[in-house]
Amino acid sequence: MIGHAFSLPSSNPQAGQQPSLCEVLLWIAGDTFHWLHNGHHRYPPAPGEESFTDMNIRHLRQFVGDRVKVFQFTKDQERQNGADWEMWIHDRTHGVGLRIQAKKASKQRRYPFDHRVGKQNAYQCDLLVQNALMVRCVPVYLLHNHWDWEHGAEEAAAQAGLLCGHVAADGSHHGCTLLSAYRVQSEVGRKAGGRNVRHAVLWAESLPWNRVLCDRRGAADAPSSRSSSEILTGVFTAVKELTRVGRGLSPTYSAGSSPGDGTQEDAAYAHTPDVDDVDDTLAILGSGPPWLPPHVLQLLQAHEAEPPAPPVPTVATVLVDVSDDRTQMPPSWFEGCVRHR
């Protein structure tokens, strides 16, 4: 193994402990950060996007235990659309779904955002948005990065109370960041006017995935016990505002807005309206975490080895259960998950 790493997040059945989702996502981000940095600068070649996706899913399945179900599908199915995989954080009735496309940063810190796919020669970002709406997901890019940064959208979102306080001391939590697919669409659209995609602007607007999808919230020393309602509300609020900013509906992240604009204090769960071809993720992100769509409810009852065919082809669907009887007390928090020499 190249480099030196701290122990992986692990379960302690005797103590009734499992690693939190935030802890696992932070560890994955740190591993990605150093793996990609070494691949570009010390031990080339760098791994591909498919390798990172496979490892992301493997770690989620391994370290979050019986709270996770993973359904993997064929490569031929994935090639038909613009998304790598789906991730649902749910309590068995309601949840937040992400339709995820991975993008690996080059050595020069650039991404193939303007990639075209299929016989239609369509932009991948357009297909990602289209297919996400068909399965009632939020379309996002998962950026794999090999450097850390300060300020930008992350600082504004944290000040607005949308992000948890769990970060790595060496900045390696920036190894995996989320970016609205709508923001990518707007940048790719600039090419029609002869202008370039601003890669630095996009990564500066992306947010560390553990801080967005955190099941603990608060600072690193905040109480670890949270109800499923609190977990889903926190994730929903952060994802909704990420989407609103990506759609250009919010000039920046802000605190104190109404429940319909991001905050979810005392907000009831909402029923998701039917979405046809209307390009409106905000219809999915109503006033609270929506009801799970039929294909997710089917997967909850299915065996991982024999999943029903997905309504829109994808590489994998990952279901993370945060129900009250599944949420465990995580072990002590750790910082700087991975160190490479």
Side-chain angles (χ1 to χ4, degrees):
M1 178 178 178
I2 297 170
H4 169 72
F6 287 109
S7 300
L8 304 178
S10 61
S11 301
N12 184 349
Q14 293 182 344
Q17 294 180 337
Q18 287 183 332
S20 68
L21 174 62
C22 181
E23 184 176 16
V24 173
L25 294 178
L26 191 150
W27 186 92
I28 293 173
D31 188 56
T32 299
F33 183 95
H34 293 287
W35 191 16
L36 186 54
H37 183 274
N38 277 341
H40 280 317
H41 299 284
R42 300 182 66 185
Y43 309 101
E49 290 164 359
E50 186 175 306
S51 296
F52 282 118
T53 295
D54 289 343
M55 292 304 293
N56 291 164
I57 294 172
R58 179 184 174 213
H59 289 319
L60 282 167
R61 171 183 269 160
Q62 181 176 359
F63 297 123
V64 194
D66 66 351
R67 289 177 290 158
V68 169
K69 291 185 76 172
V70 177
F71 299 90
Q72 293 185 281
F73 305 99
T74 68
K75 299 300 180 186
D76 287 339
Q77 289 177 317
E78 188 272 337
R79 290 191 187 99
Q80 298 176 36
N81 61 50
D84 273 343
W85 54 296
E86 286 181 30
M87 182 178 184
W88 288 84
I89 300 175
H90 69 92
D91 65 0
R92 304 181 204 168
T93 60
H94 298 76
V96 179
L98 304 178
R99 186 85 172 177
I100 299 170
Q101 172 64 53
K103 287 298 173 190
K104 178 193 73 173
S106 69
K107 187 175 182 179
Q108 292 74 32
R109 305 182 184 183
R110 299 176 70 84
Y111 312 83
F113 285 128
D114 56 355
H115 179 58
R116 292 179 180 268
V117 295
K119 296 179 180 179
Q120 322 151 258
N121 196 29
Y123 280 121
Q124 194 176 51
C125 57
D126 294 334
L127 292 179
L128 175 60
V129 169
Q130 175 185 331
N131 289 313
L133 291 172
M134 292 175 65
V135 289
R136 300 181 180 180
C137 281
V138 178
V140 296
Y141 278 82
L142 174 58
L143 306 185
H144 298 305
N145 311 299
H146 54 91
W147 72 97
D148 65 316
W149 57 86
E150 295 180 353
H151 309 297
E154 183 183 1
E155 181 176 289
Q159 290 177 344
L162 296 168
L163 304 181
C164 72
H166 308 139
V167 299
D170 61 353
S172 61
H173 56 288
H174 292 108
C176 293
T177 60
L178 297 177
L179 175 67
S180 171
Y182 292 107
R183 188 66 186 86
V184 174
Q185 273 189 318
S186 66
E187 279 296 310
V188 171
R190 288 166 51 90
K191 295 193 67 174
R195 293 175 290 181
N196 294 326
V197 174
R198 298 172 296 180
H199 297 263
V201 170
L202 290 178
W203 61 249
E205 293 182 7
S206 67
L207 303 176
W209 72 338
N210 74 293
R211 302 191 72 186
V212 174
L213 306 178
C214 181
D215 53 346
R216 291 178 60 193
R217 297 289 147 188
D221 58 352
S224 57
S225 179
R226 296 180 66 82
S227 69
S228 61
S229 175
E230 291 174 314
I231 292 171
L232 283 184
T233 293
V235 171
F236 170 86
T237 304
V239 169
K240 180 168 184 175
E241 192 62 16
L242 176 73
T243 304
R244 283 177 49 81
V245 170
R247 295 286 301 272
L249 299 177
S250 295
T252 186
Y253 294 96
S254 60
S257 55
S258 66
D261 288 337
T263 61
Q264 284 296 304
E265 295 180 4
D266 301 321
Y269 284 174
H271 181 72
T272 303
D274 290 331
V275 178
D276 297 317
D277 295 328
V278 180
D279 185 9
D280 193 2
T281 303
L282 295 180
I284 295 171
L285 292 172
S287 60
W291 291 91
L292 294 175
H295 77 285
V296 175
L297 293 174
Q298 288 182 336
L299 290 176
L300 288 176
Q301 303 302 318
H303 191 283
E304 289 186 30
E306 300 178 349
V312 177
T314 188
V315 155
T317 300
V318 177
L319 309 179
V320 181
D321 189 344
V322 296
S323 301
D324 292 330
D325 58 341
R326 290 289 185 97
T327 305
Q328 305 292 327
M329 297 286 285
S332 299
W333 183 254
F334 62 91
E335 290 186 352
C337 311
V338 179
R339 294 284 192 277
H340 287 252
R341 300 171 190 238

